[in-house]
């Protein structure tokens, strides 16, 4: 780090007055500018809406996809290929997914990838001269998406985290937040809002994930939205122990080792991830991609330049040298739980509120596990597309402009104190939450006793986030993030406690087997008091007949 | 974490200030951005990808700051390497079109018998 310079001393900005807030109105407001948010904004604009997109970071560089990149669930519309694609996911996800949703996502993804090609994404060309559209490199994809959002006439507010939703008697009517550098508040009235703020990775430093603290979930819960699949929120990504790069695909070519060079039997990036985690509890684990044969090596490098980045910088050749590994929590980023969807347009059931991408539940297409096959990327672009269209249609149906509404802020925790004089210590809250959700022997290997024990402490932490926010912009945003992380952890573990079996990524030490009688999704509601119920009936999200009629 | 803004190389465009998702930099009064909140760095390398002057260095270490020496980094060709590997910058062509993922996927699908793919064995998350 360079020596601190004389210019270093700029004072930390303070939040501006409500009266000086940037006041805007739109038909649709999109929160989050990753794949889901950018697709939502473009699709809403195509539906004739005036659209504003606010991102906590910089739309194009922020979120999980931008610095990493994704394989995409891209399957040509041949019946046998589609059948294979659907079937391969069902048992893995514990049979909680729905074929109609899989079909819709496969169709939509196929179409959206063609659109991306038309926009000029430089897909590789295969031996037959056809574009190979199975993967998107993050920096390139998201740079392109930013350009398309701007070309669609969408106004982007960068470095402008949303802090709370606005609502009135007719439902959600916009959101309010703050511009981080200036401290100026913003308030956008809109007839429909799309939450596309990504998942929650609990500030684990997994690649690109520190902006993903579950803010959208908390905002949605504050206006009464429900969650689904919150027990499936314990995804961990393998990375070099020192680095952030949790790109795990190439670990299929790895052998894992003990420190003394013995092979760690049974360890692997897929099924054997538990063995790696158990071993990491007591000793370091090493890996080497020694199963990648000579002919493959060049291909690996060309496919994922950023996988090799930390190794090149550290002077390690992962193909020929051993390096220590760790597993970083990616929570709901590569878990499947999120805001529950009420229909095919990704409405949440709260009037005017839509959700897409990692912020929304992905159980509909992959049940309780997002293994390989790149469902997350397909889901983000598909659900974003639908949510944007649905939001535009809803805004249109209200007729009058949102400018005439007089909504109020719905945010509570870490924004509006319940009283008391204490100032919120967000560092302490973050640490306390991480202590409950990071450990493999709590979150990956669960038991009723451990869940109860963690929930007891998390309930205490939830009291702490009722304290007054501190007085800089950074503390305000951090405090709200800490509250969202706490809420997410409580939804996760409260729901996990109700699933008394092992299914999908939810591994229960007291109940090792999948129990056929528990083959149903769990719906979670509430903030201060949390309740969990089983979703009833078949095809619970929307009757298949209705779904089949909806636009793919 | 971000460790270096090269004063020699920086052309004061403030692109890094703009693109960093976690607001690590502040604009410097002398034009060279300052690393104002290093502890907020998420080691995502996006600033390196976008810096037009190859003036930034993000060390691979995500959890702790480390010491770096600019001259040593230059000698080892480490400044601007990521940007080059993406094919970003004037006169370069995006390397996304060399993405061999489809070949790797085809290979692993050929190796894995179809039955196994459909069984309860998870394939590696990407
Ligand atoms: C290392 C890694 C590799 C992955 N590889 C694959 C893969 O190969 N295949 C696959 O399918 N999936 C993969 N995933 C998952 C995939 O990246 C995500 O599913 C995808 O990015 C989700 O898109 P999103 O738009 O919902 O969220 P994100 O891309 O995470 O974007 C969320 C956006 O919301 C913004 N935001 C957050 N809070 C606020 C707020 N309060 N106000 C305003 N904006 C806010 C953030 O700044 C960010 O820009 C990977 C994930 C990681 C971490
Ligand atoms: S992006 Fe590079 S050249 Fe531009 S201000 Fe930052 S360090 Fe300087
Ligand atoms: S590596 Fe990422 S988080 Fe760190 S300074 Fe660069 S852009 Fe910001």
């Amino acid at each position: 780090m360079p020596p601190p310079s004389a210019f270093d001393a700029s004072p930390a900005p303070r939040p501006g007055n409500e009266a000086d807030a940037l006041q805007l109105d739109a038909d649709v407001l999109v929160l989050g500018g990753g794949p889901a948010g950018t697709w939502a904004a473009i699709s809403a604009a195509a539906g004739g809406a005036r659209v504003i997109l606010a991102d906590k970071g910089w739309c194009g560089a922020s979120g999980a996809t931008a610095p990493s990149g994704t394989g995409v669930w891209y399957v040509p519309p041949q019946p046998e290929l589609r059948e294979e694609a659907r079937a391969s996911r069902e048992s893995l996800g514990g049979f909680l997914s729905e074929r109609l949703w899989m079909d819709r996502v496969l169709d939509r993804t196929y179409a959206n990838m063609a659109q991306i090609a038309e926009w000029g994404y430089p897909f590789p060309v295969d031996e037959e001269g056809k574009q190979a559209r199975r993967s998107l490199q993050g920096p390139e994809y998201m740079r392109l998406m930013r350009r398309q959002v701007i070309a669609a006439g969408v106004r982007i507010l960068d470095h402008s985290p949303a802090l709370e939703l606005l609502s009135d008697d007719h439902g959600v009517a916009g959101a309010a937040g703050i511009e981080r550098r200036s401290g100026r508040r913003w308030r956008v009235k809109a007839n429909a809002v799309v939450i596309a703020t990504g998942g929650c990775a609990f500030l684990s430093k997994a690649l690109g994930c520190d902006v993903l603290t579950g803010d959208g979930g908390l905002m949605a819960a504050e206006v009464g939205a429900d969650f689904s699949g919150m027990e499936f929120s314990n995804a961990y990504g393998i990375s070099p122990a020192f680095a952030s790069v949790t790109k795990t695909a190439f670990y299929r070519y790895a052998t894992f080792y003990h420190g003394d060079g013995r092979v760690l039997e049974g360890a692997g990036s897929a099924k054997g991830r538990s063995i790696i985690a158990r071993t990491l509890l007591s000793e370091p684990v090493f890996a080497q991609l020694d199963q990648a044969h000579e002919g493959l090596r060049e291909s690996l490098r060309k496919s994922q330049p950023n996988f090799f980045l930390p190794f090149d910088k550290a002077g390690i050749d992962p193909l020929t040298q051993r390096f220590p590994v760790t597993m970083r929590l990616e929570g709901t980023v590569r878990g499947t739980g999120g805001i529950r969807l009420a229909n095919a347009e990704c409405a949440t059931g709260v009037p005017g509120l839509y959700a897409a991408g990692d912020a929304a539940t992905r159980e509909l297409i992959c049940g309780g596990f997002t293994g390989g096959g790149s469902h997350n990327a397909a889901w983000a672009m598909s659900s974003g597309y639908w949510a944007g269209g649905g939001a535009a249609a809803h805004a249109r149906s209200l007729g009058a402009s949102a400018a005439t509404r007089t909504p109020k802020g719905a945010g509570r925790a870490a924004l509006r104190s319940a009283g008391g004089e204490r100032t919120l210590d967000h560092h302490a809250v973050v640490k306390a939450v991480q202590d409950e959700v990071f450990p493999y022997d709590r979150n990956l290997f669960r038991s009723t006793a451990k869940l109860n024990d963690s929930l007891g402490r998390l309930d205490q932490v939830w009291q702490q986030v009722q304290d007054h926010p501190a007085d800089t912009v950074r503390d305000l945003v951090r405090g709200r993030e800490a509250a969202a992380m706490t809420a997410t952890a409580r939804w996760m573990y409260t729901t996990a406690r109700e699933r008394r079996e092992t299914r999908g990524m939810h591994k229960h030490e007291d109940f090792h087997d999948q129990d056929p009688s528990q083959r149903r999704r769990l719906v979670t509601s509430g903030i201060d008091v949390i309740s969990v119920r089983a979703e009833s009936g078949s095809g619970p999200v929307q009757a298949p007949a209705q779904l089949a009629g909806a636009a793919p | 974490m971000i460790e270096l803004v090269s004063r020699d190389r920086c052309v004061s465009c403030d692109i890094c200030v703009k693109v960093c998702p976690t607001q690590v930099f502040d604009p410097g009064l002398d034009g060279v951005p300052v690393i104002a909140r290093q502890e907020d760095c998420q080691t995502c390398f996006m600033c390196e990808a976008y810096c037009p002057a190859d003036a930034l260095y993000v060390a691979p270490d995500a959890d702790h700051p480390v010491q770096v020496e600019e001259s040593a980094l230059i000698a080892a060709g480490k400044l601007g390497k990521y940007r080059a590997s993406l094919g970003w910058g004037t006169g370069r062509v995006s390397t996304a079109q060399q993405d061999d993922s489809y070949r790797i996927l085809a290979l692993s699908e050929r190796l894995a018998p179809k039955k196994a793919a459909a069984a309860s064995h998870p394939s590696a998350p990407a």
Side-chain angles (χ1 to χ4, degrees), chain A residues 39 112-121 123 136 141 144 381:
Chain A
W39 275 103
N112 285 9
M113 292 293 274
Q115 176 68 76
I116 292 170
E118 204 172 295
W119 285 333
Y121 181 90
F123 283 109
L136 290 163
Y141 173 35
L144 176 71
M381 67 171 75

Side-chain angles (χ1 to χ4, degrees), chain A residues 134-135 159 313 334 474, chain B residues 18 40 48 58 99 109 126:
Chain A
R134 295 190 62 177
S135 123
H159 298 295
K313 287 177 180 244
R334 278 195 273 191
R474 185 168 176 272
Chain B
K18 189 175 75 175
D40 288 351
E48 272 192 9
V58 179
D99 184 344
E109 279 155 15

Side-chain angles (χ1 to χ4, degrees), chain A residues 227-550:
Chain A
F227 295 83
S228 185
M230 287 308 288
E231 69 278 36
F232 307 120
S233 44
N234 50 348
Y236 287 83
I238 304 174
S239 76
F242 55 89
S244 59
V245 180
T246 44
K247 299 197 73 165
T248 41
F250 294 167
Y251 288 96
R252 80 169 65 124
Y253 305 110
T255 308
F256 294 88
Y257 298 91
H258 293 277
D260 60 9
R262 275 178 303 128
V263 171
L264 182 55
E265 294 299 339
S269 70
K271 257 230 149 119
R273 218 177 271 199
S274 295
I275 294 172
I276 301 172
R278 278 201 202 284
T279 311
L280 280 169
L281 289 170
S282 56
E283 54 171 301
V285 173
F286 295 80
Q288 184 181 328
L289 308 190
D290 41 21
Q291 295 174 49
H293 58 81
E294 207 59 58
L296 196 64
R297 295 181 172 190
E298 193 49 34
S299 278
L300 296 182
R301 216 168 241 287
K302 290 204 293 196
S303 301
Q304 297 191 8
N306 44 14
F307 175 83
F308 290 92
L309 194 55
F311 296 111
D312 291 348
K313 287 177 180 244
I316 296 168
D317 176 1
L319 299 159
T320 59
Q321 288 174 288
R322 281 177 211 160
F323 54 91
V325 292
T326 190
M327 286 171 44
R328 292 185 189 268
L329 182 61
E330 293 182 341
T332 61
V333 174
R334 278 195 273 191
T336 67
I339 299 167
R340 182 167 185 258
L341 300 179
N343 69 16
E345 322 233 74
C346 301
T348 62
V350 177
L353 190 66
Y354 294 74
D358 289 356
T361 182
R362 262 157 292 161
E363 278 177 305
L364 299 165
I365 60 160
C366 43
F369 196 100
T370 73
S374 309
H375 290 61
N376 302 317
W379 173 250
M381 67 171 75
S382 301
S383 60
Y385 181 92
W386 293 319
H394 177 81
R396 230 179 4 254
S397 75
L398 290 192
S401 153
T404 61
R405 296 171 73 169
T406 51
K408 290 204 166 50
R412 292 288 169 270
L415 284 183
R416 292 185 179 80
S417 163
E421 293 306 312
R422 279 181 321 181
T423 301
L424 175 58
D425 180 354
H426 57 81
H427 293 288
V429 170
V430 166
K431 173 82 172 54
V433 173
Q434 289 176 337
D435 284 347
E436 304 304 331
V437 298
F438 280 178
Y440 314 130
D441 54 354
R442 268 185 188 275
N443 199 0
L444 194 52
F445 312 119
R446 293 164 165 178
S447 75
T448 305
K450 287 188 280 190
L451 290 167
N452 279 333
D453 182 47
S454 283
L455 279 167
R457 284 190 295 268
L458 287 167
D459 286 346
Q460 301 284 310
V461 179
W462 185 246
Q463 293 314 308
Q464 269 172 269
V465 301
Q466 309 308 320
D467 292 345
H468 285 287
D471 53 6
T472 66
V473 173
R474 185 168 176 272
D475 286 334
L476 177 65
V477 174
R478 285 280 189 215
R480 188 67 173 158
E481 291 178 341
M485 282 171 46
T486 314
T488 308
R490 291 175 72 234
W491 291 319
M492 262 163 61
Y493 281 176
T494 308
T495 316
R497 188 165 58 179
E498 298 307 314
R499 190 172 283 290
R500 295 184 185 83
E501 62 164 347
T502 288
R503 188 183 293 267
M505 66 174 67
H506 170 70
K507 293 187 179 59
H508 206 306
E509 288 180 330
D510 307 337
F511 309 97
H512 286 282
D513 298 319
Q514 190 161 300
D515 166 10
S517 75
Q518 295 187 52
R519 184 188 159 187
R520 70 260 185 288
R521 295 192 283 255
L522 295 177
V523 179
T524 309
S525 325
I527 304 179
D528 294 316
V529 180
I530 298 169
S531 64
V532 179
R533 66 176 195 276
E535 200 170 51
S536 53
S538 64
V541 166
Q542 194 174 44
Q546 277 170 282
L547 243 185

Side-chain angles (χ1 to χ4, degrees), chain B:
Chain B
M1 291 165 104
I2 178 77
E3 295 292 352
L4 173 78
V5 182
S6 164
R7 304 188 72 80
D8 289 344
R9 293 184 167 210
C10 176
V11 296
S12 300
C13 64
D14 277 355
I15 287 176
C16 55
V17 178
K18 189 175 75 175
V19 302
C20 170
T22 57
Q23 286 239 314
V24 166
F25 304 97
D26 273 345
L29 292 181
D30 63 349
V32 180
V34 267
I35 300 170
R37 288 163 294 274
Q38 191 189 25
E39 69 275 24
D40 288 351
C41 174
Q42 59 169 356
T43 317
C44 68
F45 310 103
M46 292 310 289
C47 52
E48 272 192 9
Y50 274 88
C51 173
D54 296 340
L56 297 169
Y57 184 72
V58 179
D61 309 73
D63 300 310
H64 312 283
V66 293
Q67 288 293 328
V68 301
E69 193 60 60
E70 182 171 346
S71 52
L73 291 171
I74 292 174
K78 286 187 175 173
L79 294 192
K81 207 168 167 212
Y82 183 38
R83 188 170 163 84
S85 78
L86 294 174
W88 281 20
T90 348
R92 293 188 180 134
V93 180
S94 168
T95 55
Q97 60 194 39
Q98 296 169 30
D99 184 344
D100 259 355
S101 299
Y102 72 96
R103 286 216 184 98
I104 298 174
L105 286 165
L107 199 68
S108 63
E109 279 155 15
R110 228 174 304 137
L111 291 180
K114 279 185 183 153
K115 272 244 187 69
S120 69
H121 188 81
S123 48

Side-chain angles (χ1 to χ4, degrees), chain A residues 30-38 53-73 136 142 157 160-164 186 195-199 206-209 211-216 219 244-249 304 330 332-335 356-360 362 370-381 383 477 480-481, chain B residues 21 125-126:
Chain A
V30 178
L31 303 179
T38 49
L53 182 157
D55 196 288
K56 181 193 274 184
W58 191 74
C59 170
S62 196
T65 291
S68 54
T70 50
V72 181
W73 202 33
L136 290 163
M142 293 315 298
L157 308 178
S160 296
L163 293 170
E164 60 176 334
W186 57 263
I195 300 224
T197 49
L207 190 59
C209 290
V211 287
L212 309 173
T213 45
D215 309 2
M219 290 188 274
S244 59
V245 180
T246 44
K247 299 197 73 165
T248 41
Q304 297 191 8
E330 293 182 341
T332 61
V333 174
R334 278 195 273 191
D358 289 356
R362 262 157 292 161
T370 73
S374 309
H375 290 61
N376 302 317
W379 173 250
M381 67 171 75
S383 60
V477 174
R480 188 67 173 158
E481 291 178 341

